[in-house]
Amino acid sequence: MRAFYHDDDTITDYREDHDSGIPVSEQELLKLGLIYHNLDSLEKVDKLANERNYQNRDQIEISPTSFETPEILKSKLDNFFKEHIHEDEEIRYIIDGEGFFDVRSKDDKWIRIKVFQNDLLILPPGIYHRFTLSNKNFIKALRLFKDEPKWIPLPRPVDDNQYRQAYLKSIET
């Protein structure tokens, strides 16, 4: 995993690094409620899933061969890249490939987190974020869920949402 502030370039392909040159530490991510692990086996993922009471999982692959046409892939990526929150944790273990999770800092700037094979990232409910592939155009990830698998994005603005409010309260200092 490598985290840094996004360069705010909105013209260049969002699958590029967009590294501003300002790194973000794992401790800074933790202050935003994000949890990161590098786990080199599914047994370690299973142990963490057990500890955190994750009951379900599925696997997703996003690549040009995962969809019938390049247009369908682009449409799916555009949807993932729209800023949103979830009312559940978002837990992803990267089996192969790489991608970007962008999350909002306390001062509403984008922090870009580049994830690689064996990275596991947990985003708290209520954090504004988005996702895209890197320019390698491939990721295979295990998605973990506390309850039934679901992925319901609530697009920004949803500042009055109870999960958003709870998140903001959790990061107050």
Side-chain angles (χ1 to χ4, degrees):
M1 181 268 304
R2 192 170 65 83
F4 46 88
Y5 279 93
H6 194 283
D7 65 9
D8 292 328
D9 175 355
T10 58
I11 297 170
T12 309
D13 186 347
Y14 52 64
R15 292 171 300 155
E16 297 296 326
D17 275 10
H18 291 283
D19 188 343
S20 67
I22 304 169
V24 175
S25 71
E26 193 175 326
Q27 292 75 26
E28 289 174 88
L29 294 177
L30 191 56
K31 288 178 185 175
L32 293 174
L34 281 82
I35 300 170
Y36 167 76
H37 296 280
N38 185 275
L39 303 174
D40 60 3
S41 72
L42 282 176
E43 290 78 21
K44 291 177 182 176
V45 173
D46 291 341
K47 183 175 186 268
L48 180 76
N50 229 6
E51 290 168 2
R52 295 186 64 86
N53 201 29
Y54 299 146
Q55 302 298 314
N56 289 294
R57 62 181 66 191
D58 67 11
Q59 190 171 295
I60 186 169
E61 182 178 312
I62 306 171
S63 71
T65 60
S66 302
F67 300 92
E68 292 177 17
T69 68
E71 293 78 23
I72 295 173
L73 170 62
K74 172 106 171 69
S75 173
K76 186 62 80 173
L77 288 175
D78 287 347
N79 190 41
F80 291 155
F81 201 67
K82 291 177 184 164
E83 186 172 3
H84 61 278
I85 69 167
H86 298 290
E87 293 183 342
D88 300 306
E89 288 182 336
E90 182 162 328
I91 309 101
R92 302 294 181 262
Y93 174 68
I94 309 307
I95 297 168
D96 198 6
E98 60 186 46
F100 297 107
F101 285 92
D102 295 342
V103 298
R104 289 290 187 176
S105 67
K106 284 186 181 182
D107 58 353
D108 211 34
K109 297 194 182 326
W110 282 118
I111 295 173
R112 178 153 271 202
I113 305 163
K114 191 171 190 176
V115 290
F116 305 90
Q117 184 176 19
N118 296 331
D119 287 341
L120 184 137
L121 190 62
I122 303 171
L123 280 66
I127 189 171
Y128 282 123
H129 68 282
R130 60 190 184 188
F131 172 80
T132 191
L133 294 175
S134 74
N135 58 14
K136 295 204 181 210
N137 238 12
F138 174 79
I139 198 165
K140 184 188 288 188
L142 187 64
R143 303 186 309 173
L144 301 156
F145 303 93
K146 289 202 175 199
D147 297 310
E148 290 300 313
K150 65 180 178 178
W151 187 84
I152 301 171
L154 303 173
R156 189 173 188 170
V158 287
D159 293 327
D160 58 344
N161 177 283
Q162 68 178 348
Y163 294 90
R164 176 69 181 159
Q165 289 299 311
Y167 170 72
L168 292 173
K169 190 171 192 119
S170 76
I171 62 168
E172 287 179 355
T173 54

